[in-house]
Amino acid sequence: MIIDWLTGTAFEAAGTGTTWAELLGFATGVLNVWLVARQRIANWPVGIANVLLLMLLFWTAGLYADAGLQVVYVALGCYGWWHWLFGGERRSRLTVSRTGRGEWLVLAVVGVLLTGALWTLLDRATDSTVPLPDALTTALSLLATYGQTRKRVESWWLWIAADLIYIPLYAYKGLHLTAVLYLVFLALCVLGLRAWRTDLRRLDPPTPVAPGPSPVSA
């Protein structure tokens, strides 16, 4: 079966086995983030393939919130694919924009509530050994993906925050290749942030300056 092959060992390093799912997740993950940074629409189908691989990987590692998160990613991937194509003005392609204050407030409230609910669920209903970081990274990733579907430039900051937690979390769980993958993600997120900010400056109209007083001749 394909699942048996994906969960089989591709190679071993330092006594730790790396599965085909983790290896293919690494490759599609790097390609996906690179495509997002360049605002290529192909990032969405590649991203959907990536999350299906990661879903299998995280479930076998006992990261249940992260595994469940991938199901939501598939739905968000389909929505983001459509929204990037037709979510702009008059159903045109979407352009980069900023997150408004009201939107930030809603995201903050949702993030706190979601983290608390997932933390409680994982702590009481599963055998997870890392309920809080698993819940927090899940919430941050969902908020970042929402921002990505809307092409909000600040979504990169949320991804950066999530990656800074993911890297030691995956290393602790023995997913060393995935930890390296998220280190690569972190670097790509910084590059993506710079690229989207550059694009945003290009799209933003110059701020009009009020005329000053006319010079008075001596």
Side-chain angles (χ1 to χ4, degrees):
M1 284 179 63
I2 185 67
I3 293 179
D4 293 332
W5 178 76
L6 287 171
T7 55
T9 302
F11 65 89
E12 290 190 5
T16 302
T18 297
T19 66
W20 285 105
E22 188 173 4
L23 183 62
L24 292 173
F26 183 103
T28 55
V30 170
L31 178 59
N32 173 241
V33 178
W34 182 81
L35 289 169
V36 175
R38 296 179 65 84
Q39 298 186 53
R40 300 293 175 83
I41 199 70
N43 86 85
W44 295 109
V46 171
I48 290 171
N50 174 253
V51 299
L52 291 174
L53 289 165
L54 294 180
M55 182 193 306
L56 177 62
L57 175 67
F58 295 151
W59 186 264
T60 56
L63 293 168
Y64 304 116
D66 273 339
L69 174 63
Q70 308 313 307
V71 178
V72 181
Y73 276 156
V74 172
L76 286 173
C78 294
Y79 170 74
W81 195 347
W82 179 89
H83 199 70
W84 275 36
L85 283 173
F86 306 112
E89 194 173 332
R90 295 184 180 180
R91 297 178 67 82
S92 61
R93 288 210 173 199
L94 195 64
T95 57
V96 178
S97 59
R98 298 186 186 278
T99 306
R101 291 184 180 180
E103 194 173 14
W104 267 125
L105 179 60
V106 173
L107 291 175
V109 171
V110 170
V112 170
L113 293 176
L114 185 58
T115 299
L118 287 173
W119 183 14
T120 301
L121 177 65
L122 291 170
D123 187 50
R124 297 181 180 180
T126 74
D127 60 352
S128 174
T129 58
V130 285
L132 178 56
D134 196 5
L136 179 57
T137 51
T138 297
L140 284 171
S141 297
L142 281 172
L143 298 180
T145 303
Y146 162 79
Q148 183 182 318
T149 66
R150 312 289 295 185
K151 276 197 180 179
R152 303 292 196 236
V153 69
E154 293 84 4
S155 64
W156 289 110
W157 286 113
L158 295 174
W159 279 125
I160 289 169
D163 290 346
L164 289 172
I165 303 171
Y166 273 131
I167 293 167
L169 174 62
Y170 291 146
Y172 172 75
K173 296 296 289 186
L175 301 173
H176 301 297
L177 184 61
T178 303
V180 173
L181 169 62
Y182 275 76
L183 187 61
V184 175
F185 280 172
L186 181 61
L188 288 173
C189 284
V190 173
L191 295 177
L193 175 63
R194 293 180 60 186
W196 282 29
R197 289 177 67 179
T198 298
D199 198 44
L200 184 63
R201 285 194 293 268
R202 181 178 61 82
L203 293 169
D204 277 347
T207 303
V209 179
S214 301
V216 178
S217 300

